[in-house]
Amino acid sequence: MASSIANGGGGHDALRFYLTKTAQFFLVLATTLLGLVAVTFIIGRVVPIDPVLAIVGDRAPAHVYERARQELGLDLPLIQQFWIYLKKAVTGDFGNSVLTTNPVMTDIANAFPATFELATLGTIIGTIIGIPLGVLAAVKRGTLIDQVVRFLGLAGYSIPIFWLGLMGLLLFYAKLGWVAGPGRIDVTYSYLYTPITGIVLIDTAMQGQWDAFWNAVSHILLPACLLGYFSLAYISRMTRSFMLNELAQEYVIAARVKGLSEMRVIWRHALRNAAVPLVTVIALSYANLLEGSVLTETVFAWPGLGQYITNSLQNADMNAVLGGTLAIGTVFVLLNLVSDLLYRLLDPRTR
Amino acid sequence: MAGSPAFSQPTGLRAWLLSPEPTSRWQARLGRFYLGWRTFTKNPLAVMGLGIVVLLIVVALFADVLAPYSPVIGGDLRTQRLLPPNETFWLGTDDQARDILSRIIHGSRITLFVVVLVSIIATPIGLLVGTIAGYLGGWVDTVLMRITDIFLAFPRLVLALAFVAALGPGIENAVIAIAITSWPPYARIARAETLMIRNSDFIAAVKLQGASTPRIILGHVIPLCLSSVIVRVTLDMAGIILTAAGLGFLGLGAQPPSPEWGAMVATGRNYLIDQWWVAAMPGLAIFVVSLGFNLLGDGLRDVLDPKAAK
Amino acid sequence: MMKPLLEVEDLHVRFHLRTGIVEAVRGVSFQLGRERLGIVGESGSGKSQTGRAILGLTPPPGEVTAKRLAFDGVDLLTASKRTLRTLRGGRISMVMQDPKYSLNPVMTIGEQIIEAYQAHAKASRAEARDKALAMLEAVKMRDPVRVFSLYPHEVSGGMGQRAMIAMMLVTDPDLLIADEPTSALDVTVSMEVLRILDELVAERGMGLVFISHDLKLVSSFCDRVLVMYAGRVVEELEARNLHEAKHPYTQGLMRCLPTLANDVRPLPTLNRDPSWAL
């Protein structure tokens, strides 16, 4: 009886606890996003290029210049300028891209699926191969396989991604002809389907355009494997470290005492526990691939966010650069949020 | 009485270093260093890493002597352009008929310059922010750590890109941009260390003596946080090199004709299929040097933080 | 006496470390029927490693050798992994020290008991569930159905240890090794756990190896006591003849126990003679 009463009280406390937690969580999220906007705003104001001159040209008379300046709101105090910038940012208005003349947000929405497709496939490859490799290295600690995994990991931390991409193109595209070259899909196939999700593999498959699908596969294979390798390097290393930690725990011995097979002890008991921190690692690696995609997309002419940012950079298109940076930062923050939620879901102790 | 005869029996430097009763602080420090060194040298990969880093420094110092040709002035454009590796040009020549080996040798200076400068700028920022936040606590801590988290919320290369875009391309701006994106993890570590130190008795003793807060932070807290932050910076150096090379590859780092490795790969991209060496060689240099820093950092962590080494 | 359940002769456990060889167990011999054997010793005396060696669970750099190490006639050193696995958990089981660490934190208690049962009995999930619930009841859980679906962090230490006992006894083993089963628990809780263990062992006629550092506890709980020091058995005696101990180490241990009758102040401490370790 007493315990049920205590439980009732506990339930109430727990509810309040969760509410404060959630409130805190959203507060942190909001301030982080606000900070992201502030950072991009500050970067935008540091630019040595005068945005007014960029519009009116350097021969414009003083009154034209002044009018343009007022239209851009540059005569207002900085804090007021930030307020306007923030209000626009919240509605997704980052101005127009000088390069494409579209609103930056439209460009980002168009470019995002390509990056998403590539980074997701990369993470899937990295996770599917990286986790078993890491487990194997931990179980066979100190053997050849352990050394190989260690070296693969260290190399992944040391190879410039853009260089490995170029070398991959050289070998698998130019010399061996195993995969298609840069781009997402050959022009001949690009009219065979209508973009719906923006993810070529899904669009072509849904519309039954299998030739186009396989062409897209052959295009995405190399960059996805490349990103997959970098994700694998990180994931396998962390898996190894988490597994070594778990395998030394008493409950692993208890599982062996119960007479369970070694496979079950490793994969069901130890890995299930290692999976809790691994979720964070996978989310982080996904976020890192967003970063890697900037260089990879440049190498593979992949029309995603990374290429959009670098193209805009080369044309001093600050609106586009800052919008793209903010978009990637936001995804980064959201990924951290998702990993946090998954962590809670997987670990009964945090529920 | 220090240094009793019983312990000084096996004479020589080794015995002096390993003496369980060091007679001076210096001896104790050197002894500890020697022990660390012994652990370090047992790890062949770490020694290899150290070798690579030392090689980088030597090559950078003596680039003028070592490089067989000029890094910026090319040879005869009609006969010496885009030559494959051969006896005269060990790593081949590029589109301006410049010797790639000489360019890589001179490029080591830029790499070293970037790594050293970024560390010199980012480490103190991280240390200050972290120790101040950790020591003062309260709202100062909250505000500083929120700022740190915001910087951590951007992928490093993307934020560096945005900064370089604003500041304009160039090696100095690249250094500043990388430094701005590098300090947050150091601040995190320094804060964690400070939180452990803050409540210790010796800090209380210093406080009772009337030391001011800046004096405590600068004189007592920072020196104690230094070693773990330095390990972290060493582990980060490969990342700094890769970010700098990435910026160079995108044309935002060192400007031509400067022999920056990332920019050299970008040039080689135009000749990738038929003259692969133009892109391959400088990329290999980046790989080897970052691998060196990674191996060294790994070895250092094994020595300085045996618990973290799994 | 019938054929012994467990035969251990000249058991050695060595660890090859970078700094040299450490011998944790050095020539331990004993036999066990369906009786209660206590192994007493201080930490590092090799008592836990003896228990783990019987189960074939010596951690990696360790090496086990013995003239004979057999369970119910099966040679444990030459048996195949498969045979060992059917013995482990099925016929020999072990209750470990701290339920906080020895229960898998991300599986419910019920799930872990079911898993132990299904590893050895061809049973449907429903049968296994019934068996697990019955077992939870056998260890005197007040609300087995509720405990069944709880995670280890949601129960107290005493409940956790009872769940551990339920998990390890669900397969009706013939031999139970209890490795310091109560040293992580509060005194009152530990008495309760011991009583439950006592009952179950008696009821099912199991052999028991009870490993502990607590001489008094072991002597009250077991029929026979082995005293270990530095990897060797220094003395073996019947629990009721404890006061006849001849070895100075055992005598020393006895003298350290405070009693109500003779108030000795200060309590004598153990003097370890280096020659005991030879």
Side-chain angles (χ1 to χ4, degrees):
Chain A
M1 286 309 139
S3 82
S4 79
I5 292 165
N7 255 343
H12 190 70
D13 275 354
L15 187 69
R16 193 183 301 161
F17 176 75
Y18 280 124
L19 281 179
T20 8
K21 265 259 158 171
T22 317
Q24 248 173 15
F25 185 75
F26 280 103
L27 194 72
V28 167
L29 182 68
T31 51
T32 308
L33 290 177
L34 184 71
L36 291 185
V37 175
V39 170
T40 50
F41 174 77
I42 292 166
I43 294 175
R45 288 296 169 268
V46 178
V47 190
I49 315 161
D50 186 337
V52 185
L53 278 187
I55 293 170
V56 298
D58 47 4
R59 288 193 192 161
H63 68 275
V64 176
Y65 179 91
E66 198 47 45
R67 204 175 58 214
R69 203 169 115 83
Q70 282 172 14
E71 269 170 18
L72 287 172
L74 292 172
D75 56 331
L76 300 170
L78 217 55
I79 188 79
Q80 214 169 334
Q81 284 187 37
F82 177 64
W83 178 241
I84 294 168
Y85 182 82
L86 181 65
K87 274 200 293 196
K88 284 187 170 175
V90 169
T91 56
D93 178 5
F94 298 106
N96 282 11
S97 159
V98 178
L99 192 63
T100 62
T101 68
N102 295 330
V104 169
M105 202 56 203
T106 315
D107 283 347
I108 290 175
N110 285 335
F112 185 73
T115 300
F116 175 78
E117 186 176 21
L118 190 57
T120 306
L121 204 58
T123 304
I124 292 174
I125 293 173
T127 308
I128 287 179
I129 303 177
I131 289 183
L133 270 186
V135 170
L136 212 61
V139 171
K140 310 235 175 239
R141 187 182 187 182
T143 60
L144 185 69
I145 173 91
D146 188 17
Q147 299 294 337
V148 168
V149 172
R150 188 184 158 102
F151 183 78
L152 274 179
L154 274 174
Y157 282 125
S158 313
I159 299 182
I161 191 168
F162 54 90
W163 179 74
L164 195 62
L166 287 176
M167 295 299 115
L169 273 179
L170 175 66
L171 183 64
F172 296 109
Y173 166 61
K175 302 281 179 214
L176 296 172
W178 289 358
V179 296
R184 277 181 105 183
I185 193 162
D186 286 349
V187 186
T188 38
Y189 295 105
S190 60
Y191 301 104
L192 290 177
Y193 72 98
T194 29
I196 298 169
T197 60
I199 294 164
V200 174
L201 291 182
I202 293 179
D203 283 342
T204 50
M206 268 183 357
Q207 291 161 40
Q209 295 291 345
W210 294 107
D211 286 347
F213 176 79
W214 288 112
N215 182 263
V217 167
S218 124
H219 273 280
I220 203 173
L221 200 60
L222 190 57
C225 284
L226 185 73
L227 288 180
Y229 171 57
F230 285 88
S231 144
L232 174 157
Y234 181 47
I235 291 177
S236 65
R237 198 177 153 100
M238 297 315 277
T239 306
R240 175 180 181 275
S241 153
F242 294 149
M243 279 300 283
L244 282 179
N245 185 33
E246 294 303 331
L247 286 172
Q249 301 293 321
E250 287 282 293
Y251 72 81
V252 169
I253 297 175
R256 291 197 180 116
V257 168
K258 289 201 285 191
L260 303 181
S261 68
E262 203 55 19
M263 288 294 273
R264 200 174 164 93
V265 171
I266 291 165
W267 294 97
R268 194 168 149 84
H269 282 261
L271 185 61
R272 175 71 181 71
N273 276 276
V276 178
L278 262 182
V279 166
T280 316
V281 164
I282 292 170
L284 265 180
S285 116
Y286 194 79
N288 286 338
L289 288 196
L290 285 180
E291 180 170 18
S293 70
V294 173
L295 290 165
T296 314
E297 287 176 7
T298 312
V299 170
F300 287 91
W302 195 262
L305 260 185
Q307 206 199 23
Y308 180 66
I309 293 180
T310 48
N311 276 348
S312 313
L313 263 176
Q314 262 132 28
N315 294 287
D317 187 350
M318 277 318 273
N319 281 348
V321 171
L322 295 181
T325 306
L326 202 55
I328 288 190
T330 309
V331 175
F332 217 79
V333 172
L334 292 179
L335 276 173
N336 276 323
L337 188 150
V338 168
S339 88
D340 216 50
L341 291 177
L342 277 176
Y343 193 105
R344 273 158 216 238
L345 215 72
L346 275 174
D347 191 345
R349 282 162 293 190
T350 57
R351 268 178 223 152
Chain B
M1 267 305 287
S4 68
F7 283 111
S8 48
Q9 229 168 21
T11 46
L13 183 63
R14 212 172 141 255
W16 181 78
L17 285 169
L18 293 178
S19 162
E21 288 182 6
T23 50
S24 68
R25 200 188 279 196
W26 256 105
Q27 187 184 354
R29 262 190 210 163
L30 281 174
R32 265 182 61 96
F33 179 80
Y34 176 68
L35 276 178
W37 174 251
R38 276 213 311 202
T39 321
F40 184 83
T41 47
K42 270 194 196 126
N43 180 350
L45 285 176
V47 175
M48 198 172 99
L50 182 67
I52 292 172
V53 173
V54 169
L55 188 73
L56 173 76
I57 296 171
V58 170
V59 167
L61 283 177
F62 300 104
D64 295 323
V65 189
L66 290 170
Y69 302 94
S70 160
V72 285
I73 302 164
D76 188 345
L77 282 176
R78 282 164 306 175
T79 55
Q80 295 179 327
R81 198 168 164 265
L82 297 168
L83 291 179
N86 57 50
E87 276 144 42
T88 359
F89 305 105
W90 290 1
L91 301 181
T93 58
D94 68 3
D95 58 325
Q96 311 273 326
R98 292 174 298 202
D99 176 39
I100 293 178
L101 176 64
S102 303
R103 280 177 71 72
I104 289 180
I105 289 175
H106 278 274
S108 65
R109 287 186 168 173
I110 300 176
T111 303
L112 205 60
F113 170 82
V114 170
V115 168
V116 170
L117 221 57
V118 168
S119 319
I120 290 178
I121 299 172
T123 313
I125 300 179
L127 268 174
L128 269 181
V129 171
T131 48
I132 290 174
Y135 187 78
L136 294 180
W139 65 268
V140 178
D141 183 26
T142 313
V143 169
L144 286 178
M145 280 302 114
R146 289 308 313 143
I147 293 175
T148 309
D149 284 347
I150 288 163
F151 274 86
L152 279 173
F154 283 107
R156 194 160 156 187
L157 180 70
V158 176
L159 187 58
L161 274 182
F163 271 111
V164 176
L167 299 169
I171 189 77
E172 294 84 4
N173 288 344
V175 166
I176 294 172
I178 298 173
I180 289 175
T181 58
S182 294
W183 64 269
Y186 312 154
R188 278 269 185 89
I189 290 178
R191 176 174 175 268
E193 293 271 309
T194 308
L195 287 180
M196 283 196 291
I197 299 165
R198 185 172 68 172
N199 295 324
S200 57
D201 292 340
F202 76 89
I203 292 288
V206 179
K207 254 194 233 168
L208 282 175
Q209 286 175 355
S212 65
T213 303
R215 195 193 159 93
I216 295 175
I217 292 179
L218 288 175
H220 296 276
V221 179
I222 287 189
L224 284 169
C225 298
L226 207 57
S227 71
S228 48
V229 171
I230 284 177
V231 171
R232 178 61 212 246
V233 173
T234 317
L235 280 169
D236 244 21
M237 284 181 173
I240 293 170
I241 291 173
L242 289 178
T243 312
L247 287 177
F249 179 74
L250 295 174
L252 296 168
Q255 295 299 299
S258 148
E260 199 273 325
W261 295 344
M264 287 170 72
V265 176
T267 315
R269 202 181 158 189
N270 304 326
Y271 312 99
L272 182 66
I273 292 175
D274 295 315
Q275 287 93 22
W276 54 269
W277 56 90
V278 184
M281 297 307 174
L284 207 58
I286 303 170
F287 172 38
V288 170
V289 169
S290 6
L291 189 65
F293 275 107
N294 269 331
L295 293 173
L296 176 68
D298 241 32
L300 273 186
R301 191 180 43 186
D302 287 1
V303 172
L304 296 172
D305 188 6
K307 247 197 321 194
K310 281 269 168 63
Chain C
M1 198 173 145
M2 324 187 306
K3 199 167 117 249
L5 201 56
L6 181 69
E7 298 162 76
V8 180
E9 199 182 335
D10 198 23
L11 175 74
H12 287 261
V13 180
R14 293 184 194 88
F15 291 91
H16 297 267
L17 302 174
R18 243 177 284 168
T19 46
I21 297 174
V22 176
E23 208 163 0
V25 179
R26 308 183 301 161
V28 165
S29 303
F30 62 89
Q31 291 199 339
L32 180 81
R34 294 193 182 268
E35 59 180 326
R36 298 162 183 215
L37 174 73
I39 301 184
V40 190
E42 55 196 39
S43 31
S45 61
K47 56 190 193 308
S48 287
Q49 286 306 333
T50 304
R52 299 217 162 163
I54 294 167
L55 281 159
L57 291 176
T58 304
E63 176 206 21
V64 179
T65 54
K67 279 204 188 111
R68 185 159 171 79
L69 182 64
F71 173 79
D72 201 13
V74 182
D75 187 340
L76 295 174
L77 289 176
T78 56
S80 69
K81 279 189 177 171
R82 180 176 289 270
T83 318
L84 276 182
R85 262 213 321 271
T86 51
L87 288 181
R88 239 186 258 147
R91 301 196 57 199
I92 316 177
S93 226
M94 178 161 82
V95 172
M96 292 154 73
Q97 185 169 349
D98 193 340
K100 221 185 276 152
Y101 302 110
S102 50
L103 290 172
N104 187 337
V106 298
M107 280 169 87
T108 60
I109 286 170
E111 204 58 46
Q112 295 186 54
I113 301 177
I114 285 183
E115 189 187 35
Y117 186 64
Q118 284 189 323
H120 298 282
K122 278 209 178 78
S124 70
R125 213 187 136 76
E127 284 167 349
R129 192 186 139 87
D130 289 345
K131 183 81 184 171
L133 285 172
M135 206 56 224
L136 282 173
E137 209 162 341
V139 293
K140 312 262 161 48
M141 290 286 187
R142 222 170 293 157
D143 188 353
V145 182
R146 196 174 73 90
V147 175
F148 183 88
S149 53
L150 290 180
Y151 284 95
H153 73 279
E154 294 170 316
V155 302
S156 66
M159 274 166 91
Q161 196 61 310
R162 281 185 279 155
M164 180 84 190
I165 293 171
M167 176 168 92
M168 288 308 181
L169 294 187
V170 72
T171 52
D172 284 320
D174 301 304
L175 172 64
L176 180 70
I177 299 170
D179 189 354
E180 305 255 12
T182 57
S183 40
L185 306 176
D186 292 342
V187 182
T188 44
V189 179
S190 111
M191 290 319 292
E192 193 191 350
V193 169
L194 276 180
R195 209 172 46 240
I196 291 167
L197 193 63
D198 186 42
E199 263 181 49
L200 286 169
V201 168
E203 217 169 76
R204 296 165 185 231
M206 288 185 281
L208 175 73
V209 176
F210 191 91
I211 299 169
S212 173
H213 61 273
D214 188 338
L215 182 62
K216 206 170 150 198
L217 178 72
V218 167
S219 61
S220 67
F221 198 70
C222 300
D223 312 320
R224 212 150 42 97
V225 181
L226 295 181
V227 182
M228 280 187 76
Y229 183 76
R232 284 181 194 284
V233 176
V234 293
E235 184 144 34
E236 175 173 358
L237 17 100
E238 296 294 314
R240 55 184 184 294
N241 302 335
L242 208 58
H243 53 276
E244 289 167 13
K246 292 188 184 65
H247 197 276
Y249 178 67
T250 322
Q251 290 173 345
L253 282 182
M254 304 266 297
R255 242 177 278 128
C256 298
L257 298 172
T259 50
L260 278 177
N262 330 319
D263 190 5
V264 192
R265 274 169 208 269
L267 267 178
T269 46
L270 258 177
N271 281 318
R272 292 177 175 80
D273 188 334
S275 68
W276 301 344
L278 295 179

